[in-house]
Structure formats: C-alpha cells, structure tokens
Amino acid sequence: MNLDEKNEYWSDNFIGMDFSGKEINAKEFDGCTFQKCDFSEATFKRCTFADCEFTNCNLSIAKMEYSKFSDVCFRDSKLIGINWTKVSWPSLMFSSPIQFYNSIINDCTFYGLSLQELVLEDCKALNVDFREGDFSNANFTYTDLAGSLFANTNLTSADFSEATDYDIDIHKNKIKKAKFSRFEAIRLLDSLEIELVD
C-alpha cells in the first residue's frame, strides 16, 4: 500500500510493510491496525492516529513531529529512542492516549508530560526519562525500569507491582498511594542513605 494515494485511512490493515526512513506527512489513521511493519527512523509529521493498534512493529528512532495520538496501543513492539515530547498532546486529557504492552521503549523521553493512567505493562523501559511528568494512576506492572529517571515526578496511585530495577527518590517524587512489590520496594530506601543489615 502506498501512503501517497490518500490522506485518510479508516479501519485499514497494514501488514509486513516497510516504511523505514520514510516521511509520512499529514495522514489520518482511524481504527487501523499495523502488524509486523517497520517504521524505524520514519518521520510522522502532523499525522493523526485514533483508535489504532501496532503489533510486532519496529518504530525505533521514529520522529513524532506534531502528530496526534488518541487511544493508540502498542503490543510486542520496539520503540527505542523516541522523543514523545514532540507529539501534539491535547491540552486536556483524562487518561493517557497511548498504551504499551510487552514492548521495548528504551531511551525514550516523556520529560514534563502529563500522561495520567499511562500503561507500561510488561515492558523493557531502560534509561527512560520520566522527570517533571505526571504519571499518576499509571500502570508500570512487570516492567524493567533500570536506569530510568524520576525527579519531581507525580506517581500518585501508580502501580509498580512486579516492576523491577526502578530508582525512585521518595523525597523528590510524589508516591502517595503508589503500589510496590514488597521485596522490590527496598529500593525506595536507597534515597534515605541508611544501611540495611540482615
């Protein structure tokens, strides 16, 4: 399928297509599914994705220039090195317009974003920047957060059950009513500069 053919796509299925390195400009995708597609190093410029699902796709180092996302789900996909701050987020959001399941989102930045109820379930999220953001009520369950940055981050009522390797300073982040697995929660004590003995 050639994306130059039209500007709007409704309930279309894109399977095994290679858009790597391409610039996709001012396209609207509504209710579309993308399976095993390669968008690595692609540029989405002023595109709109509504009620779409990406499965087994590679979007590594894709640029999201002023594109819009609403009810978009990424499953079993690779999204390394994406700057999510370049997305055109709506000014009023009651829940996160994007969700990630069993995906790799290493080296991404969500700096300063307000994405309440963000879903990052069973993901690899190494070296991700969550500083200055609002991720209250987010779902980080079963996610590896090694090297990820949390500072002045609102994590109120976020769920970190079975999440691993997070480094969250309890003095510099809001974690009221957040959930943590009992054994992994010992990591929260690192910021207290105390010594634990057996």
Side-chain angles (χ1 to χ4, degrees), residues 101-117:
Y101 296 93
N102 198 34
S103 293
I104 302 171
I105 63 159
N106 300 345
D107 303 305
C108 286
T109 181
F110 294 90
Y111 182 90
L113 294 180
S114 178
L115 293 173
Q116 296 176 19
E117 298 183 14

Side-chain angles (χ1 to χ4, degrees), residues 110-113 129-135 150-154:
F110 294 90
Y111 182 90
L113 294 180
D129 193 347
F130 295 104
R131 292 174 300 163
E132 304 290 333
D134 182 355
F135 304 100
F150 295 91
N152 203 23
T153 308
N154 185 356

Side-chain angles (χ1 to χ4, degrees), residues 7-73:
N7 290 327
E8 294 181 358
Y9 295 86
W10 301 81
S11 302
D12 283 309
N13 296 319
F14 299 84
I15 300 172
M17 303 196 67
D18 185 357
F19 300 105
S20 55
K22 301 262 172 64
E23 181 172 300
I24 301 164
N25 204 346
K27 305 293 181 187
E28 188 172 326
F29 302 92
D30 199 312
C32 294
T33 58
F34 302 87
Q35 290 177 289
K36 297 181 179 174
C37 292
D38 188 355
F39 291 100
S40 56
E41 298 187 59
T43 300
F44 296 101
K45 196 173 273 187
R46 291 187 166 82
C47 292
T48 300
F49 295 89
D51 199 22
C52 292
E53 185 159 319
F54 292 79
T55 305
N56 283 310
C57 291
N58 184 1
L59 294 96
S60 293
I61 323 178
K63 293 182 177 70
M64 306 289 185
E65 295 181 10
Y66 312 107
S67 288
K68 296 179 180 176
F69 291 83
S70 170
D71 252 349
V72 176
C73 180

Side-chain angles (χ1 to χ4, degrees), residues 2 6 27 35 64 74 77 81 92 95 98 101-102 120 122 131 137 141 157 161 175 182:
N2 185 349
K6 53 185 182 178
K27 305 293 181 187
Q35 290 177 289
M64 306 289 185
F74 299 93
S77 293
L92 192 63
S95 64
I98 53 173
Y101 296 93
N102 198 34
L120 261 177
D122 203 12
R131 292 174 300 163
N137 297 296
T141 56
S157 297
S161 302
I175 60 168
R182 192 178 304 278

